[in-house]
Amino acid sequence: MSTLLFAPPTVSTVAVAGEDALYPVNRIFCVGRNYADHAKEMGVEVDREAPFYFLKHAGAIVPSGATIPYPPGTSNYHYEMEFVVAIGAPAWNAPVETALDAVFGYACGLDMTRRDLQLEARAKQRPWDLGKDFEQSAVIAPIVRAASFAAIGPQRITLAVNGAVKQDAHLSDLVWSVEELVSHLSRYYHLVPGDLIYTGTPAGVGPVVAGDRVTGSIDGLPSIELKIGPAEAV
Ligand code: MN
């Protein structure tokens, strides 16, 4: 029997509200431009023909409450408050009508972004990885089971930096609904338990600097908090 050359990375996990068991993370899908007002502030239009995605590696997960260093390679580090869907059952070519059956629960998330690198990649028609899929870029609060969360729509989604509100919208503003996203993704991937979907951010994105405290909330979910520390010494 072969042995591993070195210890594999630890599995990233997310707390489940009120429970001891942890939710192990597989993939992190992120939806682009899923609120019309945010697409507008980014100087683009929402594509209503189909959603589009980028991914983050599971190791990018950071629990709510953490203090993380200002990341390398950027001078325009942004917050994006997001409603996160946690998959809990396999889904493959799931119809919209039954797509929610695959959902384990929901959480508050932050899609932290090196905006300067993302926009440079966008302008050069290159992939967004440097701007989006970097270490400690996927912050998440404890997951609430779907059965304990009301029908998606009226919940308010907000984000504040040092107490000043920057993002304020409702889940009913989502261009692509959760069932549409799960159904659509399941035509391109075999969705499995552990897959997370960050469903996009409302208008009001902006920069943070060392010393800032980011707080976010969605009605019915544990709130999220992130503190930005100084950049690491090179
Ligand atoms: Mn985002």
Side-chain angles (χ1 to χ4, degrees), residues 163-175:
V165 176
K166 304 288 188 184
Q167 295 186 285
D168 192 351
H170 293 88
L171 297 186
S172 52
D173 298 327
L174 284 165
V175 173

PDB file of all heavy atoms in Angstrom, residues 163-175:
ATOM      1  N   GLY A 163     -19.298  50.020  11.487  1.00  0.00           N
ATOM      2  CA  GLY A 163     -20.615  50.477  11.911  1.00  0.00           C
ATOM      3  C   GLY A 163     -21.383  51.289  10.879  1.00  0.00           C
ATOM      4  O   GLY A 163     -22.580  51.537  11.063  1.00  0.00           O
ATOM      5  N   ALA A 164     -20.737  51.709   9.802  1.00  0.00           N
ATOM      6  CA  ALA A 164     -21.417  52.498   8.770  1.00  0.00           C
ATOM      7  C   ALA A 164     -21.961  51.567   7.687  1.00  0.00           C
ATOM      8  O   ALA A 164     -21.191  50.818   7.065  1.00  0.00           O
ATOM      9  CB  ALA A 164     -20.448  53.502   8.156  1.00  0.00           C
ATOM     10  N   VAL A 165     -23.274  51.620   7.455  1.00  0.00           N
ATOM     11  CA  VAL A 165     -23.910  50.698   6.500  1.00  0.00           C
ATOM     12  C   VAL A 165     -23.462  51.018   5.073  1.00  0.00           C
ATOM     13  O   VAL A 165     -23.502  52.170   4.631  1.00  0.00           O
ATOM     14  CB  VAL A 165     -25.446  50.779   6.610  1.00  0.00           C
ATOM     15  CG1 VAL A 165     -26.100  49.889   5.543  1.00  0.00           C
ATOM     16  CG2 VAL A 165     -25.897  50.357   8.002  1.00  0.00           C
ATOM     17  N   LYS A 166     -23.025  49.972   4.358  1.00  0.00           N
ATOM     18  CA  LYS A 166     -22.535  50.124   2.986  1.00  0.00           C
ATOM     19  C   LYS A 166     -23.404  49.372   1.982  1.00  0.00           C
ATOM     20  O   LYS A 166     -23.502  49.762   0.823  1.00  0.00           O
ATOM     21  CB  LYS A 166     -21.100  49.579   2.874  1.00  0.00           C
ATOM     22  CG  LYS A 166     -20.110  50.212   3.832  1.00  0.00           C
ATOM     23  CD  LYS A 166     -19.778  51.627   3.423  1.00  0.00           C
ATOM     24  CE  LYS A 166     -18.644  52.195   4.279  1.00  0.00           C
ATOM     25  NZ  LYS A 166     -18.381  53.610   3.936  1.00  0.00           N
ATOM     26  N   GLN A 167     -23.944  48.234   2.396  1.00  0.00           N
ATOM     27  CA  GLN A 167     -24.780  47.428   1.508  1.00  0.00           C
ATOM     28  C   GLN A 167     -26.110  47.173   2.220  1.00  0.00           C
ATOM     29  O   GLN A 167     -26.111  46.865   3.421  1.00  0.00           O
ATOM     30  CB  GLN A 167     -24.110  46.096   1.163  1.00  0.00           C
ATOM     31  CG  GLN A 167     -22.824  46.255   0.355  1.00  0.00           C
ATOM     32  CD  GLN A 167     -22.266  44.903  -0.097  1.00  0.00           C
ATOM     33  OE1 GLN A 167     -21.707  44.164   0.699  1.00  0.00           O
ATOM     34  NE2 GLN A 167     -22.446  44.569  -1.380  1.00  0.00           N
ATOM     35  N   ASP A 168     -27.216  47.305   1.505  1.00  0.00           N
ATOM     36  CA  ASP A 168     -28.539  47.146   2.111  1.00  0.00           C
ATOM     37  C   ASP A 168     -29.523  46.757   1.012  1.00  0.00           C
ATOM     38  O   ASP A 168     -29.855  47.585   0.167  1.00  0.00           O
ATOM     39  CB  ASP A 168     -28.947  48.468   2.789  1.00  0.00           C
ATOM     40  CG  ASP A 168     -30.169  48.310   3.679  1.00  0.00           C
ATOM     41  OD1 ASP A 168     -30.802  47.235   3.653  1.00  0.00           O
ATOM     42  OD2 ASP A 168     -30.491  49.274   4.397  1.00  0.00           O
ATOM     43  N   ALA A 169     -29.940  45.506   1.002  1.00  0.00           N
ATOM     44  CA  ALA A 169     -30.834  45.012  -0.051  1.00  0.00           C
ATOM     45  C   ALA A 169     -31.702  43.907   0.543  1.00  0.00           C
ATOM     46  O   ALA A 169     -31.725  43.708   1.765  1.00  0.00           O
ATOM     47  CB  ALA A 169     -30.013  44.487  -1.227  1.00  0.00           C
ATOM     48  N   HIS A 170     -32.433  43.224  -0.302  1.00  0.00           N
ATOM     49  CA  HIS A 170     -33.260  42.092   0.133  1.00  0.00           C
ATOM     50  C   HIS A 170     -32.973  40.894  -0.758  1.00  0.00           C
ATOM     51  O   HIS A 170     -32.590  41.054  -1.920  1.00  0.00           O
ATOM     52  CB  HIS A 170     -34.745  42.459   0.075  1.00  0.00           C
ATOM     53  CG  HIS A 170     -35.118  43.510   1.077  1.00  0.00           C
ATOM     54  ND1 HIS A 170     -35.028  44.859   0.813  1.00  0.00           N
ATOM     55  CD2 HIS A 170     -35.550  43.403   2.366  1.00  0.00           C
ATOM     56  CE1 HIS A 170     -35.394  45.541   1.882  1.00  0.00           C
ATOM     57  NE2 HIS A 170     -35.722  44.687   2.842  1.00  0.00           N
ATOM     58  N   LEU A 171     -33.179  39.700  -0.215  1.00  0.00           N
ATOM     59  CA  LEU A 171     -32.910  38.497  -1.021  1.00  0.00           C
ATOM     60  C   LEU A 171     -33.842  38.423  -2.225  1.00  0.00           C
ATOM     61  O   LEU A 171     -33.529  37.762  -3.216  1.00  0.00           O
ATOM     62  CB  LEU A 171     -33.026  37.235  -0.158  1.00  0.00           C
ATOM     63  CG  LEU A 171     -32.007  37.123   0.988  1.00  0.00           C
ATOM     64  CD1 LEU A 171     -32.120  35.762   1.674  1.00  0.00           C
ATOM     65  CD2 LEU A 171     -30.576  37.350   0.487  1.00  0.00           C
ATOM     66  N   SER A 172     -34.953  39.127  -2.170  1.00  0.00           N
ATOM     67  CA  SER A 172     -35.853  39.169  -3.338  1.00  0.00           C
ATOM     68  C   SER A 172     -35.219  39.905  -4.512  1.00  0.00           C
ATOM     69  O   SER A 172     -35.715  39.838  -5.632  1.00  0.00           O
ATOM     70  CB  SER A 172     -37.177  39.836  -2.960  1.00  0.00           C
ATOM     71  OG  SER A 172     -36.928  41.091  -2.345  1.00  0.00           O
ATOM     72  N   ASP A 173     -34.100  40.617  -4.256  1.00  0.00           N
ATOM     73  CA  ASP A 173     -33.391  41.317  -5.338  1.00  0.00           C
ATOM     74  C   ASP A 173     -32.493  40.382  -6.150  1.00  0.00           C
ATOM     75  O   ASP A 173     -31.928  40.813  -7.165  1.00  0.00           O
ATOM     76  CB  ASP A 173     -32.528  42.451  -4.760  1.00  0.00           C
ATOM     77  CG  ASP A 173     -33.367  43.509  -4.047  1.00  0.00           C
ATOM     78  OD1 ASP A 173     -34.512  43.749  -4.474  1.00  0.00           O
ATOM     79  OD2 ASP A 173     -32.874  44.097  -3.058  1.00  0.00           O
ATOM     80  N   LEU A 174     -32.315  39.151  -5.708  1.00  0.00           N
ATOM     81  CA  LEU A 174     -31.482  38.196  -6.465  1.00  0.00           C
ATOM     82  C   LEU A 174     -32.029  38.045  -7.884  1.00  0.00           C
ATOM     83  O   LEU A 174     -33.225  37.795  -8.074  1.00  0.00           O
ATOM     84  CB  LEU A 174     -31.482  36.823  -5.787  1.00  0.00           C
ATOM     85  CG  LEU A 174     -30.630  36.665  -4.514  1.00  0.00           C
ATOM     86  CD1 LEU A 174     -31.032  35.387  -3.779  1.00  0.00           C
ATOM     87  CD2 LEU A 174     -29.145  36.620  -4.873  1.00  0.00           C
ATOM     88  N   VAL A 175     -31.162  38.189  -8.883  1.00  0.00           N
ATOM     89  CA  VAL A 175     -31.590  38.015 -10.272  1.00  0.00           C
ATOM     90  C   VAL A 175     -31.922  36.537 -10.523  1.00  0.00           C
ATOM     91  O   VAL A 175     -32.974  36.206 -11.056  1.00  0.00           O
ATOM     92  CB  VAL A 175     -30.484  38.498 -11.241  1.00  0.00           C
ATOM     93  CG1 VAL A 175     -30.853  38.160 -12.683  1.00  0.00           C
ATOM     94  CG2 VAL A 175     -30.253  39.999 -11.068  1.00  0.00           C
TER      95      VAL A 175
END
